[in-house]
Amino acid sequence: MIKFILAAAVGGSCLICGIIKSSGYRLRMSELVHFKDMLLSLAREIAYRKDPVVLSLARIKNQTAGLASDFIAEIISDEITDFKQSWELATDGVYGDGILTEQDIEILKEAGAELGASGIAQQQSMIEMITAKLDAQIQKADEDFRTKGRMYRALGGFCGACAIILLI
């Protein structure tokens, strides 16, 4: 009986490890979607109110989800001397923990390069360009989730089944 319980615990642990590993791919995809939605809300706010970017970010903070809300909070919490530098520091601080790939982070940093430094039309076109790049990254993240995520879940289940067979 104890052998069976031990085998089930080890097998279940392997399966759970596979599921946890695959969830990282889903998290990457959802955080990219949240950031894209934040940029689109920012573009609408800039176009409608014609306020500075920092003020527009403060207005849309409650409309954002995921880490995008923490990202905005980090930008608007500091006394901003250089917006581009604040944007890059917030990107590294919020998204630099391994959720996003280096290519994702570079695109996020690129978004802050032109915001606030040019006119409304240029900011709008830059946001459109960045959202197009984010769409491509979201598509890659979705593909990774469907292929690699499925592989990790199956591998976890297979290892769990092997462990159960070996322990029984």
Side-chain angles (χ1 to χ4, degrees), residues 13 17 32 85 130:
S13 297
C17 286
L32 287 171
Q85 183 180 7
I130 295 297

Side-chain angles (χ1 to χ4, degrees), residues 1-87:
M1 183 66 175
I2 292 176
K3 203 176 198 183
F4 179 73
I5 293 172
L6 175 67
V10 170
S13 297
C14 290
L15 178 62
I16 290 172
C17 286
I19 291 170
I20 289 171
K21 179 65 178 172
S22 74
S23 70
Y25 293 104
R26 182 184 301 262
L27 182 61
R28 174 182 172 226
M29 185 174 60
S30 68
E31 289 304 330
L32 287 171
V33 168
H34 293 317
F35 193 85
K36 177 187 164 196
D37 291 343
M38 183 268 299
L39 280 179
L40 293 173
S41 295
L42 179 63
R44 286 189 299 270
E45 188 71 23
I46 289 171
Y48 178 70
R49 297 195 189 252
K50 297 177 179 33
D51 284 337
V53 176
V54 177
L55 189 56
S56 296
L57 282 171
R59 281 200 177 104
I60 66 166
K61 182 182 180 297
N62 294 330
Q63 301 169 9
T64 58
L67 291 177
S69 180
D70 297 339
F71 177 77
I72 292 173
E74 191 164 325
I75 288 176
I76 62 177
S77 68
D78 296 333
E79 187 64 35
I80 298 175
T81 55
D82 182 21
F83 181 77
K84 181 181 177 185
Q85 183 180 7
S86 290
W87 186 280

Side-chain angles (χ1 to χ4, degrees), residues 33-163:
V33 168
H34 293 317
F35 193 85
K36 177 187 164 196
D37 291 343
M38 183 268 299
L39 280 179
L40 293 173
S41 295
L42 179 63
R44 286 189 299 270
E45 188 71 23
I46 289 171
Y48 178 70
R49 297 195 189 252
K50 297 177 179 33
D51 284 337
V53 176
V54 177
L55 189 56
S56 296
L57 282 171
R59 281 200 177 104
I60 66 166
K61 182 182 180 297
N62 294 330
Q63 301 169 9
T64 58
L67 291 177
S69 180
D70 297 339
F71 177 77
I72 292 173
E74 191 164 325
I75 288 176
I76 62 177
S77 68
D78 296 333
E79 187 64 35
I80 298 175
T81 55
D82 182 21
F83 181 77
K84 181 181 177 185
Q85 183 180 7
S86 290
W87 186 280
E88 288 180 2
L89 290 173
T91 303
D92 289 335
V94 173
Y95 294 106
D97 59 358
I99 293 172
L100 301 181
T101 65
E102 289 297 320
Q103 190 177 11
D104 297 337
I105 291 174
E106 288 303 316
I107 292 171
L108 270 52
K109 286 181 180 180
E110 185 181 338
E114 294 293 324
L115 284 175
S118 57
I120 293 173
Q122 289 84 9
Q123 291 180 48
Q124 296 286 354
S125 63
M126 191 274 312
I127 289 175
E128 287 177 19
M129 179 191 67
I130 295 297
T131 55
K133 287 182 180 182
L134 284 174
D135 283 335
Q137 291 301 105
I138 290 168
Q139 187 176 5
K140 286 180 188 175
D142 184 43
E143 183 178 314
D144 284 348
F145 174 70
R146 282 189 279 121
T147 57
K148 293 178 184 176
R150 183 182 300 151
M151 178 193 66
Y152 280 117
R153 288 188 303 272
L155 190 60
F158 178 72
C159 289
C162 288

